[in-house]
Amino acid sequence: MSHPLIPQILQIAEAIAPSLGLEVVDVVFHTHKNPAVLRVDIRIPEGDTSLSDCERMSLALEPALDRADIIPHAYVLEVSSPGTDRQLKSDREFVAFRGFTVTASTRAPHAGKQSWTGQLVSRSAELLTLSQKGKLIEIPWELVTGVELS
């Protein structure tokens, strides 16, 4: 279950990111840590995300969060790139990483395989669609146990 402040934090971050040429991929608030850790994952839509990009977003986001005054306790802001070997979970991530190479694992073989690698085309309630050298592979979503960036 995500933290109830995530939608407000996401709205603030998404208002800032485009002016920096960035896209917000995910927001996670770890309140079980002391101090709490607010992690905002960003990416450059058409390129590699650098430490400098994370720093620019952090420098823009921190004062905006302070002005909004929605987080009632001390926290540490971490802005990072999702990197590779990352599990895709939310609808937002499946949209943000379309066209990226992913590896999907299935609980039972589909067309004789339990691991598929290809470019992410789409995900629906019924199907995960990958492209392998232009050939579309449709994997029933009910079989999928995980999808991660490759």
Side-chain angles (χ1 to χ4, degrees):
M1 175 181 229
S2 71
H3 192 278
L5 289 177
I6 295 293
Q8 289 173 278
I9 295 167
L10 189 58
Q11 184 178 14
I12 294 167
E14 286 180 331
I16 294 168
S19 67
L20 301 173
L22 302 169
E23 183 176 84
V24 177
V25 175
D26 196 17
V27 175
V28 179
F29 203 8
H30 298 284
T31 55
H32 62 282
K33 296 186 178 188
N34 189 14
V37 175
L38 173 61
R39 191 186 79 230
V40 178
D41 290 340
I42 60 164
R43 74 179 187 104
I44 293 180
E46 301 298 326
D48 293 330
T49 308
S50 70
L51 183 58
S52 173
D53 298 317
C54 295
E55 181 181 24
R56 290 184 305 118
M57 181 65 173
S58 181
L59 291 172
L61 181 58
E62 187 172 22
L65 289 170
D66 289 346
R67 281 191 304 277
D69 197 26
I70 58 173
I71 302 172
H73 47 75
Y75 68 96
V76 174
L77 174 63
E78 291 181 359
V79 177
S80 62
S81 166
T84 59
D85 297 333
R86 174 186 160 82
Q87 286 282 334
L88 302 184
K89 296 178 184 140
S90 69
D91 291 339
R92 166 179 206 72
E93 290 175 312
F94 279 92
V95 170
F97 290 103
R98 277 190 187 141
F100 281 66
T101 301
V102 297
T103 299
S105 302
T106 59
R107 77 175 101 269
H110 172 69
K113 294 172 64 176
Q114 281 188 259
S115 180
W116 295 85
T117 300
Q119 277 67 48
L120 177 61
V121 175
S122 66
R123 181 194 73 169
S124 70
E126 296 83 30
L127 294 172
L128 173 69
T129 305
L130 305 179
S131 174
Q132 289 182 327
K133 299 180 183 176
K135 180 182 177 195
L136 293 182
I137 307 296
E138 294 180 329
I139 304 166
W141 184 247
E142 65 200 22
L143 293 179
V144 177
T145 58
V147 179
E148 67 181 38
L149 294 174
S150 297

